Structures are given as structure tokens and as C-alpha cells.
Amino acid sequence: MERKDKAKSHSKLVLSLGAAALLGMAMFAVETKAQTGEDLPNLQARVEPLRPGVTESQVLAELAAHNEERKAALHDYTVLRTYQVIDLKGKVHAEEIGRMEFFSPDKKAFTVTSEHGSGLIRRMALNPLINSEIEAAAGKEHHDSAISTDNYSLNLLGEQQLGPYRCFVAEAVPRWKAKYLFEGRVWIDVNDYSVVRIEGHPAKKLSFWIQRADFVRQYQKIDGFWLPEKDQTLVQVRLYGKKILKIEHRNYVVNTGQSTNARSTVRETAVTQSN
């Protein structure tokens, strides 16, 4: 019995460490917003030279201006989310599906519609991840993770065709080491200066136990707004190995015109962590 209790405690400890990695990713993924896998756009296309006159400072300024316009125009949305924790062989260990609602400027609520697999993983990894996004939206643990001149410098590498979109490709270099900033590449649409794709890893190691956490996020354009389409994070945890967190964002409904009173009365809904 004692041996079983120790094994169970060890399992919970390891899952807690994995959850810490996912939460660390969420600290900046919520605001920076990326896809890996078989359905990726072709990234083997050659990176071509930049068009004349384009500078890093111009791209950052245009990106900041677009973000402000988006913030002012995006009043509300709902999206069907699927969260999965998968091993490298493709086995799904835990899955949670539900609808995330956003109401400008800072309210989010999540309603679970179905859940499968390990209850322990859902309680210790997926539910805290969802709750951290809700809290971050409300400013309870706010970190400025925006791709801006305050947080990053950009090294423009050229231009690349990413599916139907022509993009600037840039190396994002954080101005300081922080868990909620990232090191990696960003693809920015040449027409409206929106982020189309991000790939990288946290600028600062998440913990002694988290050896590596690599993420990719792909955006999609819905009713004129660029919103997340797929996220994938590969987390390598000491004593536990590699696991993949996948998030799919589907069936967006944007700007349904709900009243200001409705938006002001919505409450942040935490995911219930049952025993």
C-alpha cells in the first residue's frame, strides 16, 4: 500500500511539473497567439528578399497600430476549443472540449461540453491552463507579452508565401529573459501587418524540471479578424519524457452584437476541478 501511495504521489508530482510547463506557455500564448503537424502550410518555400524600403521599425509600428484597431473592433466572439494531451505515438491521454466566450475588453468564460481520458491530467494540466487564460484576460496575472518595441527587436529575414498569405519573416529577439516572452520566428502578413504564425520557445527556462518547451501557433482570418486556428506545444519534462499539448480553435462566431449590459455582467467561469 505504501509503495502504491508513493507511486501515486510521484505521478501527481510529475503531472504538476508538466502542468507548470503548459501554464508557463499560456502566460504569453494568450496574448501573442500559432500549428504543427501534417496539415501545416508549406514552410519549405524559399525565403525571398524583402521588398525595397521595408524596415524593422516600420513593421513593428504597423503591427502595433493593427493590434489597437483589432482591439477596438473586436467586441465579442465564441469559439469551440479542443484541448488534448498526446504522446509521441499519437495516443490521446486526455481531452477536453468546450466553448470559450470572449467579451470586450477583458472577460472570458469557458463551458465544458465533453471530456475524455485521464481525469488526473485534466485536473492538473488542462483545467489550470484554461483557468490561467481566463485570469490573464481579466488582468489578474497580467504580463505585457505583446510583440512590440518594448519587448522585442525584429531581424527581418525576408518574405515567404505561407499558404495563401504573403508574409514578412522575422526573427523575434526578446529584450530580456522572461518566461512569458519567446525566442523564435514570426510571420507577418504584408498587407495588413497581422501575425499569421509564430514558432519558438520561452525566452527563459520555465523550471529545472522543464527541459524544453517548443510551441507553434497558426492564425486564421475570420470576418476580417486574425484569430488562433491551431496551437501545438512540445514539452519535455524530466522523469516524464515528451508530451504534446494540442489546441484546436473552430466554429468562431464573431461580433454577435450582444449588449453592453450583457458583456458587463458576464463572469469569468473557472473550470471545475472535481476530485
Side-chain angles (χ1 to χ4, degrees), residues 24-266:
M25 298 301 299
M27 289 171 68
F28 62 87
V30 166
E31 294 190 19
T32 53
K33 315 310 180 196
Q35 143 187 350
T36 63
E38 297 177 356
D39 53 350
L40 275 174
N42 180 18
L43 294 181
Q44 302 304 315
R46 184 171 65 90
V47 177
E48 301 174 6
L50 283 169
R51 60 196 64 191
V54 178
T55 65
E56 286 87 352
S57 59
Q58 174 199 350
V59 171
L60 279 170
E62 293 283 1
L63 182 60
H66 169 82
N67 285 341
E68 289 302 314
E69 291 174 3
R70 175 184 180 277
K71 188 183 299 184
L74 184 60
H75 305 301
D76 58 79
Y77 68 75
T78 65
V79 58
L80 184 66
R81 293 266 188 92
T82 300
Y83 295 82
Q84 294 180 323
V85 175
I86 306 170
D87 65 21
L88 297 186
K89 295 182 179 180
K91 179 181 179 181
V92 178
H93 291 278
E95 177 182 80
E96 195 150 316
I97 302 174
R99 184 157 292 278
M100 182 70 79
E101 298 176 273
F102 165 77
F103 300 90
S104 179
D106 59 4
K107 301 292 184 185
K108 283 188 175 182
F110 186 79
T111 304
V112 177
T113 57
S114 68
E115 49 190 9
H116 307 280
S118 169
L120 186 61
I121 294 177
R122 294 199 309 271
R123 289 195 303 272
M124 301 189 72
L126 295 183
N127 290 352
L129 174 65
I130 296 167
N131 290 337
S132 72
E133 178 179 346
I134 293 170
E135 292 176 356
K140 293 179 180 178
E141 293 188 17
H142 177 72
H143 295 280
D144 179 13
S145 58
I147 302 176
S148 65
T149 54
D150 291 336
N151 294 328
Y152 295 93
S153 62
L154 292 184
N155 296 327
L156 287 173
L157 304 176
E159 298 182 16
Q160 192 174 35
Q161 193 70 27
L162 192 63
Y165 304 110
R166 185 70 173 178
C167 299
F168 297 120
V169 186
E171 179 185 10
V173 181
R175 296 193 179 279
W176 63 87
K177 300 290 185 181
K179 295 177 182 179
Y180 53 88
L181 300 180
F182 73 94
E183 297 174 344
R185 287 192 176 187
V186 57
W187 283 256
I188 301 169
D189 187 272
V190 301
N191 294 313
D192 61 13
Y193 291 89
S194 300
V195 174
V196 178
R197 174 185 169 93
I198 303 172
E199 63 177 40
H201 57 268
K204 184 179 180 180
K205 194 173 181 179
L206 294 175
S207 76
F208 169 80
W209 295 99
I210 308 304
Q211 296 176 295
R212 186 79 178 181
D214 297 296
F215 77 95
V216 183
R217 170 170 283 187
Q218 185 74 27
Y219 288 90
Q220 57 188 320
K221 203 167 188 177
I222 305 291
D223 295 338
F225 296 98
W226 286 91
L227 297 164
E229 178 181 13
K230 291 187 179 181
D231 299 85
Q232 184 160 298
T233 303
L234 175 64
V235 180
Q236 184 170 344
V237 184
R238 292 183 192 272
L239 307 179
Y240 191 52
K242 295 180 179 179
K243 290 292 179 285
I244 298 169
L245 167 71
K246 291 181 67 175
I247 308 173
E248 291 190 355
H249 314 252
R250 295 178 288 118
N251 300 342
Y252 278 97
V253 179
V254 179
N255 283 355
T256 56
Q258 295 196 41
S259 69
T260 302
N261 288 337
R263 291 198 298 271
S264 64
T265 57
V266 72

